């Protein structure tokens, strides 16, 4: 066999089901080898989108998604999606075709050193100098991509190596487990929890990755500690739980007073790339109980009292047996929660048109089941979704908040539907983000994936407009023109629906789900609510 065939055998051995990518001249041996494998190749319309598909699939399954590109522009296009996966801690393996070894020493068509280019945005990457390296390289790429904290790895395959004859076989799969913290550390952490008067939990996406929601709920109930989530941690504790204070990271909000009141902040599976500690511990005086798979990053606003490092689920279970059962005064937390619930429900019956963000979110939540998946793109809608969309289960409201690249939702919906074909998948996006990756609508139609795209249309870059108004009280170059989205969606093969009155969204969503086919919903949004929210939150005064 040739090296490309061995590569595919090794990926099959790891349990890879899908490979997302764009064919090119320098990866044709891989493209040919995949025809004789059990792996389904998903042809994307852009390499960045292929990586978005793979990373979303990886986030939802816990198994590295695999994406493929050719050299040069294919590889540089792929780079953004790979960086996004790495900073969001989504397991992903990127494979790039490359110029032959015989022309890498000189100026050559489409050749860049991809190992150097990918080094800053991956956990590990390497070029295959011989075919015999493949079993070790694939095993290492898979292992490192999936280990906590997960992220991206990269394999660069020169075309002359890909076609070379080789002997070899996949390596046996070995699973590693994370250690647990020492008993003395657990005891020290328990003492910190017991002694705190106003502890507050900040739950990140690491709780979901560790499947530790039950242990988190036991901790919050036994010790009477309220829980606030990072954007990517939403759903770790159900929004229905009385101790859930929703999400932090949107700037000043009701929970700001909770952080200022806390005398111990317990971070669990928190990824610092999401929200800088300076935003929720501005003085740097509140001690932190750090519970994660890695030791804490050094940050002057993140003063670690105790480092509980290792398996999050098992460490939480041990902590729960060591802490005292307490009934703390949570009147302040009840106040935060009641204000958030009031904001969430304030426009449930508001039939004004265009629709307010709060109304869109309310109708979306009422229509979907708890286990259905919403993927938010990046823009003003992301801030509203992260703040107000109530998630009852982990990984049901997907928000990219590490690199936070625009354009992630439509290709992400393709990856999500392949991972969970039994769940309704909705891509929530703005018109700015949609036109960055709208070509993947054709991919969804070709694969017959019944995803729903819910467009919040405002004819501009709404989030940047929001920031500009807050800082300068005027805007700069944020408006643009749009095509007729209904006709565009129909041209791609989507069923196209348009919301034309405020009370119509729920019915439209229900109809879209019933069609069981790719559906596009054009919904105008009133972002006049953005500055109203800013003005309201600016009046918050903490005791």
């Amino acid at each position: 066999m040739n090296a490309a065939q061995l590569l595919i055998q090794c990926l099959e051995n790891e349990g890879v089901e899908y490979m997302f990518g764009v064919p090119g001249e320098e990866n044709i041996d891989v493209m040919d080898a995949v025809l004789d494998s059990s792996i389904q190749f998903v042809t994307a319309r852009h390499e960045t989108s292929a990586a978005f598909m793979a990373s979303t699939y990886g986030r939802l399954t816990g198994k590295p998604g695999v994406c493929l590109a050719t050299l040069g522009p294919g590889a540089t296009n792929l780079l953004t999606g790979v960086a996004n996966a790495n900073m969001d801690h989504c397991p992903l393996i990127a494979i790039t075709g490359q110029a032959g070894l015989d022309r890498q020493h000189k100026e050559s068509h489409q050749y860049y050193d991809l190992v150097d280019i990918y080094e800053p945005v991956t956990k590990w990457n390497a070029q295959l100098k011989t075919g015999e390296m493949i079993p070790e390289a694939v095993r290492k790429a898979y292992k490192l991509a999936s280990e906590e904290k997960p992220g991206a790895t990269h394999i660069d395959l020169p075309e002359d190596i890909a076609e070379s004859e080789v002997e070899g076989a996949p390596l046996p799969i070995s699973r590693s487990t994370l250690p647990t913290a020492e008993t003395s550390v657990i005891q020290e952490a328990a003492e910190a929890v017991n002694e705190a008067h106003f502890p507050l939990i900040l739950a990140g996406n690491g709780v979901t990755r560790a499947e530790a929601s039950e242990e988190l709920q036991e901790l919050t109930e036994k010790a009477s500690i309220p829980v606030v989530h990072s954007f990517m941690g939403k759903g770790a504790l159900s929004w229905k739980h009385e101790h859930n204070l929703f999400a932090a990271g949107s700037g000043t909000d009701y929970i700001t007073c909770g952080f200022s009141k806390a005398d111990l902040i317990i971070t669990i599976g928190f990824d610092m790339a999401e929200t800088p500690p300076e935003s929720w511990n501005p003085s740097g005086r509140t001690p932190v109980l750090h519970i994660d798979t890695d030791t804490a990053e050094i940050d002057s606003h993140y003063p670690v009292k105790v480092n509980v490092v290792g398996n999050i689920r098992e460490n939480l279970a041990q902590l729960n047996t060591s802490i005292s059962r307490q009934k703390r005064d949570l009147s302040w937390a009840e106040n935060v929660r009641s204000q958030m619930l009031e904001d969430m429900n304030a426009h449930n019956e508001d039939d004004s048109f265009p629709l307010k963000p709060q109304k869109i979110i309310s109708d979306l939540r009422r229509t979907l089941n708890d286990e259905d998946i919403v993927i938010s793109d990046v823009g003003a809608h992301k801030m509203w979704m992260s703040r107000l969309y109530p998630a009852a289960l982990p990984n049901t409201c997907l928000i990219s908040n590490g690199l936070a690249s625009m354009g992630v939702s439509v290709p992400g919906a393709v990856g999500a539907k392949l991972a969970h074909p039994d769940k309704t998948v909705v891509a929530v996006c703005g018109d700015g983000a949609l036109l960055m990756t709208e070509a993947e609508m054709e991919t969804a139609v070709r694969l017959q994936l019944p995803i729903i795209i819910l467009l919040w249309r405002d004819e501009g870059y709404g989030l940047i407009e929001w920031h500009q108004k807050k800082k300068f009280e005027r805007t700069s170059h944020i408006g643009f023109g749009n095509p007729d989205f209904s006709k565009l969606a129909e041209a791609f093969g989507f069923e196209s629906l348009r919301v034309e009155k405020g009370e119509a969204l729920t019915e439209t969503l229900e109809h879209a789900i019933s069609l069981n086919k790719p559906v596009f919903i054009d919904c105008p949004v009133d972002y006049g609510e953005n500055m109203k929210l800013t003005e309201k939150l600016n009046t918050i005064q903490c005791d």
Side-chain angles (χ1 to χ4, degrees):
M1 61 183 163
N2 64 30
Q5 292 168 327
L6 178 57
L7 174 72
I8 294 300
Q9 283 190 17
C10 291
L11 291 174
E12 284 183 300
N13 183 62
E14 298 289 350
V16 173
E17 298 174 296
Y18 297 98
M19 179 183 289
F20 306 88
V22 178
E25 186 176 345
E26 281 71 16
N27 62 25
I28 58 173
D29 287 279
V30 176
M31 295 299 304
D32 184 73
V34 80
L35 290 175
D36 300 317
S37 76
S38 61
I39 298 173
Q40 180 179 340
F41 191 88
V42 177
T43 303
R45 304 306 301 270
H46 195 279
E47 292 86 356
T48 301
S49 294
F52 287 155
M53 294 174 190
S55 63
T56 305
Y57 178 88
R59 177 174 173 177
L60 290 173
T61 64
K63 302 182 295 184
V66 179
C67 53
L68 175 73
T70 191
L71 83 172
T76 55
N77 283 344
L78 192 73
L79 187 73
T80 295
V82 173
N84 200 76
N86 200 53
M87 197 168 280
D88 279 0
H89 294 298
C90 299
L92 176 140
I93 299 173
I95 300 171
T96 53
Q98 182 55 287
L101 296 176
D102 61 346
R103 65 182 178 97
Q104 292 186 15
H105 64 287
K106 57 187 177 181
E107 183 176 344
S108 188
H109 180 63
Q110 292 190 320
Y111 171 70
Y112 275 114
D113 187 333
L114 297 178
V115 174
D116 274 1
I117 291 175
Y118 274 72
E119 194 278 331
V121 301
T122 55
K123 294 178 70 176
W124 173 83
N125 88 123
Q127 184 180 85
L128 301 177
K129 304 292 187 182
T130 68
E132 285 72 21
M133 294 171 57
I134 289 174
E136 291 179 349
V138 171
R139 180 83 279 272
K140 185 171 184 177
Y142 197 97
K143 178 176 181 289
L144 292 178
S146 54
E147 280 183 348
E148 277 290 329
K149 293 186 175 186
T153 57
H154 167 236
I155 296 173
D156 192 38
L157 180 59
E159 59 180 334
D160 52 354
I161 300 298
E163 65 185 9
S164 65
E165 291 187 5
V166 66
E167 293 184 2
L171 296 182
I173 296 174
S174 59
R175 304 295 185 193
S176 57
T177 57
L178 288 167
T180 56
E182 295 180 2
T183 303
S184 60
V185 174
I186 295 292
Q187 190 56 44
E188 187 179 357
E191 290 173 2
V193 173
N194 291 337
E195 293 170 1
H197 295 289
F198 300 105
L200 176 64
I201 294 171
L202 173 55
N205 196 36
V207 177
T208 297
R209 296 195 301 264
E211 299 180 346
S213 289
E214 290 185 10
E215 288 74 15
L216 172 65
Q217 182 170 329
E218 182 180 349
L219 174 61
T220 182
E221 291 174 350
K222 184 175 182 180
S224 295
I225 307 175
V227 178
V228 64
H229 302 75
S230 71
F231 289 3
M232 295 182 67
K234 285 170 68 72
L237 182 69
S238 172
W239 75 274
K240 302 170 187 177
H241 197 285
E242 61 180 351
H243 290 173
N244 188 320
L245 303 187
F246 304 97
S250 303
T252 301
D253 211 327
Y254 305 129
I255 189 57
T256 302
C257 297
F259 279 114
S260 65
K261 185 179 184 66
D263 59 355
L264 179 69
I265 299 173
I266 306 169
T267 62
I268 307 176
F270 172 68
D271 300 324
M272 202 173 286
E274 280 207 71
T275 308
E278 184 178 7
S279 67
W280 46 264
N281 194 10
S283 68
R285 290 195 298 266
T286 308
V288 172
L289 169 54
H290 176 84
I291 303 175
D292 204 0
T293 54
D294 290 340
T295 55
E297 173 70 271
I298 302 300
D299 188 302
S300 60
H301 297 273
Y302 199 82
V304 177
K305 184 181 181 74
V306 186
N307 260 309
V308 182
V309 178
N311 186 301
I312 293 175
R313 185 177 184 179
E314 294 183 13
N315 283 339
L316 280 180
Q318 290 190 32
L319 180 62
N320 287 336
T321 63
S322 302
I323 59 175
S324 303
R325 184 172 295 278
Q326 298 194 41
K327 189 64 176 177
R328 291 183 168 90
D329 178 10
L330 294 184
S331 56
W332 69 270
E334 293 167 1
N335 186 44
V336 170
R337 179 172 170 81
S338 65
Q339 291 180 92
M340 283 299 303
L341 288 171
E342 183 178 340
D343 279 9
M344 290 167 60
N345 297 319
H347 295 277
N348 288 358
E349 308 305 323
D350 186 341
D351 291 336
S352 58
F353 188 84
L355 282 75
K356 292 180 172 59
Q358 303 96 315
K359 171 66 171 175
I360 299 175
I361 292 172
S362 173
D363 287 359
L364 182 63
R365 177 68 281 178
R366 283 188 294 187
T367 305
L368 298 180
N369 296 322
D370 284 349
E371 64 272 14
D372 291 333
I373 298 170
V374 174
I375 304 177
S376 174
D377 220 296
V378 176
H381 58 281
K382 170 188 166 182
M383 308 310 292
W384 285 103
M385 287 290 294
S386 61
R387 185 173 187 267
L388 296 184
Y389 186 83
L393 295 169
N395 270 344
T396 55
C397 180
L398 303 189
I399 296 174
S400 175
N401 202 38
L403 189 66
S405 175
M406 291 178 70
V408 70
S409 65
V410 174
V414 171
K417 194 64 179 178
L418 290 173
H420 292 294
D422 56 326
K423 298 180 181 181
T424 297
V425 175
V426 179
V428 171
C429 57
D431 36 13
L434 175 66
L435 288 182
M436 293 186 176
T437 53
E438 86 289 348
E440 304 311 330
M441 293 170 69
E442 186 278 327
T443 306
V445 171
R446 178 173 12 103
L447 298 178
Q448 298 182 328
L449 298 177
I451 66 171
I452 298 171
I453 298 174
L454 177 58
L455 173 69
W456 297 31
R457 177 166 54 83
D458 70 319
E459 319 291 336
Y461 293 115
L463 180 59
I464 306 307
E465 178 185 28
W466 195 351
H467 285 300
Q468 289 175 349
K469 285 183 175 180
K470 284 194 290 186
K471 186 171 184 178
F472 303 111
E473 298 183 354
R474 60 178 183 174
T475 61
S476 175
H477 302 90
I478 46 81
F480 46 69
N482 277 320
D484 184 322
F485 282 114
S486 295
K487 291 181 179 178
L488 180 66
E490 290 171 356
F492 277 120
F494 270 62
E495 181 81 15
S496 184
L497 307 174
R498 192 192 299 262
V499 177
E500 297 181 328
K501 53 185 179 179
E503 63 270 27
L505 180 56
T506 298
E507 181 182 345
T508 303
L509 285 166
E510 291 173 347
H511 180 54
I513 295 171
S514 71
L515 290 173
N516 195 34
K517 61 188 294 189
V519 179
F520 180 89
I521 302 175
D522 181 357
C523 181
V525 60
D526 175 13
Y527 276 143
E529 291 296 300
N530 293 353
M531 288 306 297
K532 291 180 183 178
L533 178 62
T534 294
E535 292 164 4
K536 178 180 179 179
L537 297 181
N538 282 344
T539 65
I540 291 176
Q541 297 291 326
C542 299
D543 294 335

